Amino acid sequence: MSTKRFRAVYETEGVYDQLLLRHYYGGTEDIDLVADWLTEHHHAPTASLEVVEFGCGTGRITETIAPYARNLVLADYSETMVNAVAQKFPEARTICADTSDAVTVLLRQGRSSSFDLVTAFWSLSYPIGEFFEELSPSGVRPRQDQARAQARAREFVLDLVRLVAPGGHLLAMLFDAESPEQQLVTRGWEVVAPFPDGGRAYTRNVLVDALREAEGRGDGTLTHTRLGGVAWAPSRDAAREWFFGVHFKHHPLLLDDPQLAETVEEFLDRYEIAGGGVALPSGVHLIDFHAAAHPYASLPIGLSS
């Protein structure tokens, strides 16, 4: 399976937006989780922040963060996505590159410690995972040197931290690999290739462990929140295509697997709503790294001066 075919859902104009399901957590949509975080930390938008968003896609969440940005950098590996987001935000700088390459470009251009807000929503598992896995004609396969992959992935996360200005934040949103929806996805992909130790949660573990390391050095404080929620499909067909089109990327081994098809149908039976639609049990991890002098920045006013 070629890289181009594997990524077709992201590189064919309009397909991703068409297949994307809305995600809710306690009645709050994922976009609004970001909006609430921005209000809590920055109050009303004043177009005063240096902001970079990696894996920006077509700019669905960018619309929420853009009003806070004095200067906005948007990066995505898909030329189709970059073209779409450039039309929506013509004043933004766009970078068409994988996230790890885009981070390297910005650091080489002297952007270390210069962004008030470094963000990646739903996308950060992919660049981390690419250190551990690679595409081959037969599908996804683990890289041979997993120890080296671990070291490179850790350095990538710390490079993200290096972009954050003093007092700024690295804000990431990742899927919950242990949710029922994602456990089904994991079972499907295990047919193609095994995941590194820890299953598909390994990308989140790499991220959190590296940020804890940065916190331990005094570079900032880590806040990690998990929310249970739902991916809402308006129809059974939409839910089915969410699995096979978005999660399974139309991989031939998975499309032609009758047992997987039966498992997906049983899953949809379980969560289909009588009035129409399917509520797929999901979850999200919100990870916020605040680049402040730790532990002193956590002291109340009076003790910290």
Side-chain angles (χ1 to χ4, degrees):
M1 186 177 186
S2 67
T3 301
K4 183 175 182 180
R5 183 174 177 182
F6 186 83
R7 290 177 163 180
V9 66
Y10 306 112
E11 295 183 348
T12 305
E13 186 175 354
V15 170
Y16 182 70
D17 286 340
Q18 179 183 349
L19 298 181
L20 183 65
L21 300 186
R22 301 179 75 170
H23 287 66
Y24 297 96
Y25 305 94
T28 300
E29 196 168 1
D30 59 342
I31 295 176
D32 295 323
L33 292 178
V34 176
D36 291 345
W37 184 94
L38 287 165
T39 300
E40 177 184 354
H41 290 274
H42 297 288
H43 308 294
T46 57
S48 60
L49 304 179
E50 294 286 331
V51 179
V52 58
E53 182 184 0
F54 296 106
C56 63
T58 57
R60 189 175 68 93
I61 298 183
T62 313
E63 294 180 4
T64 300
I65 63 176
Y68 289 83
R70 178 175 66 248
N71 292 300
L72 180 62
V73 178
L74 302 173
D76 200 285
Y77 77 86
S78 167
E79 185 176 352
T80 299
M81 299 289 191
V82 169
N83 289 340
V85 82
Q87 293 181 22
K88 290 182 181 179
F89 306 97
E91 301 302 318
R93 175 191 173 187
T94 57
I95 302 174
C96 188
D98 286 340
T99 295
S100 57
D101 292 334
V103 170
T104 299
V105 167
L106 291 172
L107 288 173
R108 287 177 176 172
Q109 292 176 346
R111 297 306 308 267
S112 177
S113 302
S114 69
F115 287 100
D116 302 298
L117 185 57
V118 176
T119 64
F121 303 113
W122 297 115
S123 63
L124 205 51
S125 290
Y126 296 105
I128 293 175
E130 287 173 359
F131 291 107
F132 295 87
E133 303 171 339
E134 61 183 342
L135 286 176
S136 71
S138 60
V140 182
R141 65 183 183 189
R143 296 187 185 275
Q144 290 186 344
D145 192 342
Q146 291 288 298
R148 181 171 183 268
Q150 184 80 27
R152 293 182 64 202
R154 166 190 164 278
E155 191 61 29
F156 162 69
V157 175
L158 296 179
D159 280 345
L160 284 169
V161 173
R162 292 183 185 102
L163 290 173
V164 183
H169 291 261
L170 166 62
L171 181 65
M173 181 182 289
L174 285 80
F175 65 81
D176 177 23
E178 290 88 2
S179 70
E181 175 204 15
Q182 291 296 333
Q183 287 181 21
L184 193 158
V185 175
T186 297
R187 290 199 299 273
W189 278 113
E190 287 283 0
V191 173
V192 178
F195 289 99
D197 291 342
R200 291 174 67 244
Y202 76 93
T203 54
R204 184 185 74 243
N205 294 337
V206 167
L207 175 63
V208 171
D209 288 348
L211 294 178
R212 283 175 176 163
E213 176 186 333
E215 182 181 82
R217 291 200 310 255
D219 295 339
T221 56
L222 171 63
T223 302
H224 178 188
T225 304
R226 188 265 179 190
L227 299 172
V230 62
W232 167 248
S235 69
R236 193 178 180 101
D237 285 343
R240 189 180 296 112
E241 190 58 24
W242 174 246
F243 279 108
F244 285 98
V246 177
H247 286 319
F248 296 142
K249 310 290 192 297
H250 291 133
H251 194 291
L253 285 178
L254 303 181
L255 287 178
D256 297 335
D257 184 343
Q259 184 175 357
L260 178 61
E262 181 179 352
T263 300
V264 170
E265 294 305 320
E266 291 174 352
F267 191 84
L268 300 186
D269 286 341
R270 191 178 313 139
Y271 296 109
E272 190 169 17
I273 296 175
V278 185
L280 305 173
S282 183
V284 64
H285 289 263
L286 292 175
I287 295 174
D288 173 15
F289 186 82
H290 182 206
H294 179 64
Y296 313 106
S298 296
L299 291 170
I301 296 174
L303 291 179
S304 57
S305 57

